[in-house]
Amino acid sequence: MKHINVILPLPLANTFTYSVPDEWADSVRIGMRAVVPFGKKKMYTGIVSLIHTYKPELIYEIKEIICLLDSQPVLRYPQLKLWEWLGAYYQAYPGDVYQAAVPAGLKLESETQVCINPDFEAETLLSEKEQRVLDALSDGKPVNVAELNKATEMRNVLPTLKMLLEKGAVEVNEELTEKFRAKTETFIRLSEQARKEDNLRRIFDEVGRAKKQLDVLMMYIDLSKCLTPAKQKEVTRKELLEKSGASPAVLTGLVERGALETYLKEIGRLDVSDIETGAVYSLNEFQETALNEINKKFADNAVVLLHGVTSSGKTEIYIHLIQKTLEQGKQVLYLVPEIALTTQLTSRLKRVFGKRLGVYHSKFSDAERVEIWNNVLNDKSYDVIIGVRSSVFLPFRQLGLIIVDEEHDSSYKQHDPSPRYHARNASIMLASMHGAKTLLGTATPSIESYYNAETGKYGLVELHQRHEEMQLPEIVVVDTKEAYRKKCMQGHFSDVLLEKVRKALDNKEQVILFQNRRGYAPYIECKGCAYVPKCKNCDVSLTVHKIFNTLTCHYCGYTESIPVICPVCKTPNLNTKGFGTEKIEDEIQQIFPEVRVSRMDLDTTRSKKSYEKLISDFEQHKVDILIGTQMVTKGLDFEHVSLVGILNADNMLNFPDFRAHERAYQLMAQVSGRAGRKNKRGLVILQTSSPEHPIIGQVIRNNYLAMYKNQTEERRLFKYPPFFRLIQITLRHKDVQVVKQAAVAMGNQLRLVFGSRVLGPIDPPIARIQNLFIKQIILKIENEASHVKAKEILHQIKDQILSESKFKSVRIGLDVDPM
C-alpha cells in the first residue's frame, strides 16, 4: 500500500505519515494537497512531501487520507527544497513555512467557517451532496466544517465544499482570510436550436410581437456579430442589459423562449488586457559598461552586487537583463522591499513587458493571490513577477534571474511570526536551486553584502555616475541645538528649511519632508505630575494620533481617547512630546495654508489603492509637499522634487542597536537621492543637534566606503556580523518570574557549551508586549564554526528547558541573523 508524508499547516517539528486508498494510489504526486484527519476531530489540508511504499514503524496509528484536492501538484519540487532549507537555516517548523508560503485560499481546515452566498443562483443542476450542504446552511449562519460534516451526515464535506466554492454558492467567513474561488461572469449566447437558420427565423417571427424582447435580441446580434463567425465575440449579461436598456425580466423571457442561453465563464480578477508595449530605452555609456560588467561577473559568480549611486539608472539596466533572460525562455523575479515601489515600477516595466508582467504582494485579496499563484504554476501568462518578500514562494517553472532591488532594506526580513527569513538570502538559495543568477542592487549596500563582494563570494560592479549627468544633491546641515538657542526654529522647522521650502514652491517644484516616526507625537505628558499614558498590555507609552483623537499602541493595537485632563492630578496640563509625520503635516498646513500636502506612512497606506493614489498624485503634481516615513526613501523616482528636508537625524543615530549607524547612513543617503533632476542640482536640508557626528559627514560627502570601513572595524572588534553569525533567543511568558527563571536556566545551559559567546539574558527595550514578559539571549557564532551543529545543540537545550513542567508554557522563539 502507498504511504505519503504530509506537511500540515501547524507549528510541529515533523511531517506525518498517512496511507493512500487504492482510488488515489495512481494519481497522488509530490506537491499535491491532501485532506487528512489530525487529532480526534480535526481535518487539515496537508502538502504531500514524500511518497513511499514501505510501512514505517511509528508510535502512532497510520490513518488514511480523506481525499486529494488536486489533479496536478500546486507546488513544484524546487519550492519544497526551499521550504526544507528555510526550515533548517531559520529554525522554523515545516508547518510554519507552509503557512507563510501558501495563500490561505489554498488551505481548507475543519475550523473554517462557511456560510451560504445569499446572491447565488444555480445555473446548472446541483448534485445531491451539494444540495444537502446548501440545505444545512440555509439559515444563513456561519458553520464550521466539523459541524457541517455532522449536519449533512457526510464523512467528508470538503470536496463538495470545494465544488460549491468554485460555483460561488458558499462563502468562507474567516476573520483574517477569504478563501479562493474563481471569479466568474454570466455571458449570453444564441441557444443551440437558435443557431440553426430556420429556427432563428421562427424565433424572430415569434418575438416580433414583443418589442422589448426583439430590441434585446437585435442588440445581442449587433454586439456579438454572431451572424459573421469570423468576427464573433462574447457578450456579458451585464453589457447586454446596459446597452439595450432592458430589464432582467425581458432577457429571462428570451431565455425561456429558447432564443438565448446563459453560461458562466471564469474571467479572473487580474488585469490581463492587452497593453501597448515599446522597445527598451538605450543605455548611456556608463550603464552599458555596468551591464557588460554584470554579464562578465555572472560567468564566475552566481550572485553579483550592483553598487550604483541614487538616480544612476539601475532600473534600466535591470530591464535589459530581464529582456535577455526572457529571450532565453526563462522567468524573472524582481523583488522590492515596499509595496509602494511595486506601484511605480509596474508602469515602467509594463511599458516593455506588457501582460507578461505580474504583481504579487499582501495588499491583494487572498483570491487574487491564489489566481497569480495558479497563473505562475500553469505557465499561463506571467514571465516576470514583481513583488515583495513573499514572492519567493511562488511556483516558478524555470527561473533565470532574481533581482533584489534595494537589497540593504530591513523590510526583506520577516520578524513575526516564524519563519523569520530574509528574502535576500532566500532568493540566493532559490536561484541556486533553479541554476539561476541573482543580482543585488542598491546605492547603499548592506555591510554583509559588501563584505561578501569584497571577499570574492559575490561579484561587484560599481556605477558612480548619475543618469543624464545629474549632480548629487547639495547637503546643508542645520544645527538644531544652535537654532533653538538663537530662536531660529518655527515649530520643528529651521528658518533655513522654511526659506528653501518657500523658494521651491515659488519655482513650482516639489518638496519631500522625512520624519521616521508616524503618528502625531510619541507620547503626552502631564506638566504637573509627569504622568505619561501607557499601554495596558505593553511596557510602552501610547502614541498620539490627533486625527482620530486617540492614543494608540503600535505593538498590540490598544487604543483609548486622548484625555482632556490628567487622570492622576486632574489638571488640564497635558502636552505632546516629540513629533511624528502627522504633527509635521499639521504644522506645514498652518505655515503654508495654500499648499497641497500629503502624508505617506503606515496610517495612510493601509489599502491596495492608497499607495497608487498617493504616488500618482505626487507624480502628477497634484501634491506640493509629501511628508513621509522611511517609505519615501525606497527608490521612488519623482521628477519635480528639488528639495528634501530630513527633520530629525538624531533619533536614527541614537537608536540602541549595532546597526544604527549603518541604517542611519542608508536612510539619509536614500532620502537625499530623491532630490534633484536633469539640469538642476537638488538640495537636502539635514537637521541635527550633532552636526559633528561622523555619519553626518559621510552622508554629506556620499562616502559609503568610509562608513563601511568604520563599521567593519567596530564589528570585528566586538564580534558582530559580517564576522560572526547571531542567533537571538526570545522567551515570552505572562508571568515575569517564570520567564526570568527560564531565561536564566537556558542562559546557564548555553554557557556550558558556548561559553563567552552567550550574551544575556537581558530585558529588551520593551520588556512586555501583549501581556507577555520578554527576555532575550544573544548567541554569537564564528563564521568558521559549524552553525548547523550549533543549531542542533541550541534545539536540544530549548527542548530540555520546555520539558520542565514549570516552563512548558514558556514560548521560545529563535531568530537567525536578526535585524
Side-chain angles (χ1 to χ4, degrees), residues 123-138:
E123 300 284 343
T124 55
L125 200 65
L126 296 175
S127 70
E128 183 265 332
K129 283 185 176 180
E130 288 171 337
Q131 196 57 56
R132 215 192 306 174
V133 170
L134 290 184
D135 290 344
L137 295 169
S138 58

Side-chain angles (χ1 to χ4, degrees), residues 28-68:
V28 67
R29 284 161 63 190
I30 289 172
M32 281 184 171
R33 294 175 299 160
V35 178
V36 296
F38 189 76
K40 285 184 179 176
K41 295 180 180 176
K42 292 185 178 177
M43 291 178 292
Y44 291 97
T45 304
I47 297 286
V48 179
S49 63
L50 184 68
I51 302 170
H52 51 90
T53 51
Y54 60 89
K55 186 176 180 180
E57 291 181 18
L58 298 166
I59 56 171
Y60 58 86
E61 178 199 346
I62 295 177
K63 297 176 183 176
E64 275 191 358
I65 67 167
I66 293 165
C67 69
L68 290 175

Side-chain angles (χ1 to χ4, degrees), residues 76-118:
R76 295 181 191 273
Y77 180 71
Q79 282 175 284
L80 285 169
K81 294 303 290 176
L82 180 68
W83 288 19
E84 204 177 290
W85 177 82
L86 284 169
Y89 185 82
Y90 289 104
Q91 298 296 281
Y93 295 123
D96 288 336
V97 182
Y98 171 19
Q99 283 284 37
V102 176
L106 293 173
K107 294 176 289 217
L108 281 169
E109 301 169 9
S110 50
E111 289 94 340
T112 302
Q113 297 280 308
V114 183
C115 61
I116 197 164
N117 175 7

